Each structure stands twice: as C-alpha cells, then as structure tokens.
Amino acid sequence: ALSMFGTTVGLYGIPWCKESLLLTAAMSVIGASMGILDTGGNVLALNTWGAEAGPHMQALHFSFAVGAFVAPLLAKMALGSSESKDFPVAGKTNQSVPRSVPTASAASVTSALKHHLGAEFLWSYVVIGTYLLFVSVFFFGLYLKGSSARDKSKASLQKCVFAKYHYALLALLFVFFFCYVGAEVTYGSYIFTYAKVFVEMKDSEAAAVNSVFWGAFAACRGLAIFFAACLYPGTMILLSIIGSAAASSCLTFFATHPATLWAGSAVYGASMATIFPSGISWIEQYTVVQGKSASLFVVGAALGEMCIPAVVGYLQGRFHHVPVVMYTALATSAMTVLLFPLMYKLANSPGDSSLREASESEDRKALLSNSGLHEDEE
C-alpha cells in the first residue's frame, strides 16, 4: 500500500517539475516505490498461497508484461494523434524557415505545441496516478481489516526450515536473475536497431519485430497461469532455458535472414516469459523466502537490467560490425543453462537430520493441536 502511494505521489509530481533536479527526485521516488512493490508483491503472493502460489505468481508477472506491451502503444497513439492532427503547421514552418533565424510564428506554434503536449502529459499522469491511488487505498483497507494472525501462524508452520545451502542458493539465484533480466531488457531494447542495421529492415518492420518479441513474452506469461497449475516450477524453468538457448543460438548464427529473426524473436520472447515467476516459486519449495531474500532477487534483476544493456551499448558502439546483442543473448542463455542444474543439485542435497526432526516434530504438533479431530483419527 505504501509503495503504491509513493508511486502515486511521484506521478502527480512529475508534470509540475520544471527543473531537472525536481524531476530526478520524483523519478527516484517512483523507482524506490516500484522496487518495494516488486519485492513485497512476490513475498505477499508466497505468504498468501504458499505451495499453491505458482499460478498466482504467473498472473502477477503477467500483469507486468501486459502493461509493458500496451502502455507504449497507447502513449504512441496519443502523442501521434496530437502531433499530426492538431499542429500540422509546425512541421511546414520548420522546413521553410532556417534554424538559425526563428520567426514569431514558429515560436508561437512551438509554444502552443509544448503547451498542448504538456496538457496531454498532465492528464495522462493524473489518470494513472489516480488509478494507483485507488489500488493503494484498497491495500490499506486489506491491511486495516486485520485477520493476519492466523495467516502468520500458518506461514510460520509452513516455512520453518532453511535449505542446507540456503545462502549459496540465494547467491546463485541472484546471478541467475541478473543474467536473465539483463538479457530480456537488452534484447527488447536493441532488437529494433539490430533489425535496421544488420538485417536492413525498414522502420515499420523493425518495430514489428520488437512488438513480436514483447507480444510473445506477454502471451506466454498469460498461458503460464494455466500451465503453472499442472507443471512444476522446475519443469517450466527447464523448458524455458532450453527454449531460450535454442532461440539465441539460431539468432546468433542465422539472424541475418529476416524469417529467422521473426521466428527467433517470437520463440526467445516466449521462452523468457516464465523464468522469473517460476524461479521464485521454485526456490520457495526448498527454502525460506522472506523479504530479504526476495529483495536480493529484485536487486539482482535490477542490476542486470541496468548493467548489461549499458555494456552492450558501449561494445556495440566500439565494434559496429559485430552483433553484440545476439552474442549477449547466447552468453546469458548459456549461463542460465549452467546455473540451474547446479542450483537444483544444491536444493535437493540432503539436509541436517536435526532440521528434519525439528520439522517433523513441529508438523506433528500442528496436526495434534487440531481440536476437531477425534482420538482414533489422531
């Protein structure tokens, strides 16, 4: 609730920021609030549904995929209609008048255009902020409703044992999410440029390839809601990393062909869709996932989202004729293929006998404490 409220405050403040420092502060508030939401949302889903959180976790991340796919399209439609319909004179004025000699009419048209677009952005932020404020109030209502004592006791009984290699699993999953999210954001950010430069596609075709990637990503996350009800999280991760490795291999060696780029982007997007939510559901089966653990996963994902695209952009600027994007997709896919069997072996290693005995005794106490059972049933 607090994170959604912080995002609302940041969104309300952005249209009124006339200086870069204020805009940076507002964006920092939104970034911190979204980080809290990303961590708390996953932990809340695990604490609410426990071992049955798989479909709910997929639904949670499916909402992110839908927003990431739909919001840019809606923004582009709104801005495109504003520029093309309302101010057709601005383009003609700029073409006929030299840039070094601004005229009064050009200045007035530019000022009117900025004012109009500012109003469009203002209402966009107000509408989205109001929606998030409503969601925040809803979560505050759930918090104040307060029947959380029973849920806390249930969660403490379900999650009382750490895995033998708990911290090693957390560290490996940190690297796993670092590679996965970094590869996802890198491919989605640079596939448009790659399609134009290396495959020589038109702008519309390159944009369509980008939409195919994110569309397949969102569609597969939607289907994963139903797959998670009948497949184990480990099985979904295994299928995903095999698909992403195969797709990235084809894209690395055959992506200069347009058909391969189209098909490979769709398969790669679909394969990347379920890894993050399935990874959190998978690790929860073997060890305790609390706020600190979930925040470690989110930090790893955020670092991958920040660092890997920056490194790829730098290398692509240095080596113009090398498809750095595809090599990065192949390298990160290879890392995930190597990391998951190692994590699986550590997670399934036999734990200490004392922990198992403590778990069995607590389970026995929890079963025997049920007053509704008869003596023979006990």
Side-chain angles (χ1 to χ4, degrees):
L2 289 173
S3 64
M4 299 295 283
F5 182 75
T7 307
T8 301
V9 172
L11 287 173
Y12 280 160
I14 282 179
W16 310 104
C17 295
K18 304 301 181 181
E19 297 181 1
S20 60
L21 184 61
L22 294 177
L23 181 60
T24 302
M27 293 299 294
S28 299
V29 170
I30 293 178
S33 300
M34 288 184 175
I36 297 173
L37 176 66
D38 204 357
T39 304
N42 292 313
V43 176
L44 185 61
L46 293 176
N47 289 342
T48 303
W49 291 285
E52 300 177 355
H56 305 282
M57 190 71 70
Q58 298 290 344
L60 173 65
H61 290 269
F62 170 66
S63 64
F64 160 77
V66 172
F69 177 71
V70 174
L73 298 178
L74 296 178
K76 185 177 180 181
M77 292 172 56
L79 292 178
S81 62
S82 299
E83 293 177 358
S84 60
K85 294 181 180 180
D86 297 331
F87 295 97
V89 183
K92 297 179 181 179
T93 306
N94 291 334
Q95 292 177 1
S96 59
V97 179
R99 295 181 181 179
S100 58
V101 187
T103 62
S105 58
S108 61
V109 169
T110 302
S111 177
L113 178 60
K114 290 172 63 177
H115 178 74
H116 181 77
L117 292 179
E120 292 287 336
F121 276 115
L122 173 63
W123 283 110
S124 300
Y125 281 104
V126 168
V127 170
I128 299 175
T130 303
Y131 167 73
L132 295 182
L133 180 61
F134 173 78
V135 177
S136 175
V137 172
F138 177 76
F139 272 103
F140 272 119
L142 288 179
Y143 174 75
L144 296 176
K145 188 176 180 180
S147 57
S148 59
R150 179 171 50 88
D151 296 333
K152 288 183 179 180
S153 62
K154 182 180 179 181
S156 64
L157 290 174
Q158 289 180 345
K159 302 180 179 182
C160 55
V161 179
F162 286 89
K164 182 179 181 180
Y165 300 101
H166 174 76
Y167 294 104
L169 283 171
L170 295 184
L172 290 175
L173 204 58
F174 175 91
V175 179
F176 186 86
F177 285 145
F178 177 89
C179 296
Y180 155 70
V181 176
E184 171 197 321
V185 175
T186 299
Y187 194 87
S189 302
Y190 290 106
I191 185 58
F192 178 84
T193 304
Y194 176 88
K196 288 187 60 178
V197 175
F198 290 92
V199 192
E200 298 180 353
M201 287 184 172
K202 300 178 181 179
D203 289 352
S204 58
E205 295 176 342
V209 172
N210 195 359
S211 298
V212 164
F213 171 76
W214 288 114
F217 184 87
C220 192
R221 275 201 170 172
L223 294 175
I225 300 174
F226 305 98
F227 293 154
C230 56
L231 293 177
Y232 290 111
T235 305
M236 298 182 67
I237 294 176
L238 184 63
L239 294 175
S240 297
I241 60 178
I242 291 176
S244 62
S248 60
S249 300
C250 294
L251 288 169
T252 301
F253 299 106
F254 306 105
T256 53
H257 303 284
T260 305
L261 183 61
W262 285 93
S265 298
V267 175
Y268 191 62
S271 301
M272 300 285 281
T274 63
I275 294 181
F276 193 89
S278 298
I280 297 178
S281 299
W282 176 80
I283 193 64
E284 196 269 342
Q285 295 177 338
Y286 298 96
T287 189
V288 178
V289 179
Q290 297 173 335
K292 293 180 180 180
S293 304
S295 63
L296 186 67
F297 304 154
V298 174
V299 168
L303 286 177
E305 181 181 358
M306 179 179 65
C307 297
I308 294 182
V311 173
V312 170
Y314 173 77
L315 294 177
Q316 192 66 73
R318 292 288 301 274
F319 307 100
H320 301 285
H321 302 290
V322 179
V324 181
V325 177
M326 299 306 174
Y327 286 125
T328 302
L330 181 61
T332 52
S333 297
M335 281 292 296
T336 57
V337 170
L338 293 175
L339 286 172
F340 183 68
L342 179 59
M343 293 189 299
Y344 184 82
K345 185 176 182 179
L346 291 178
N348 287 276
S349 62
D352 297 336
S353 58
S354 61
L355 290 178
R356 289 199 301 270
E357 291 176 0
S359 177
E360 291 176 359
S361 62
E362 289 181 1
D363 291 341
R364 203 173 289 115
K365 290 178 182 179
L367 290 174
L368 296 178
S369 63
N370 192 341
S371 60
L373 295 178
H374 298 290
E375 184 176 357
D376 56 342
E377 292 176 328
E378 293 176 1

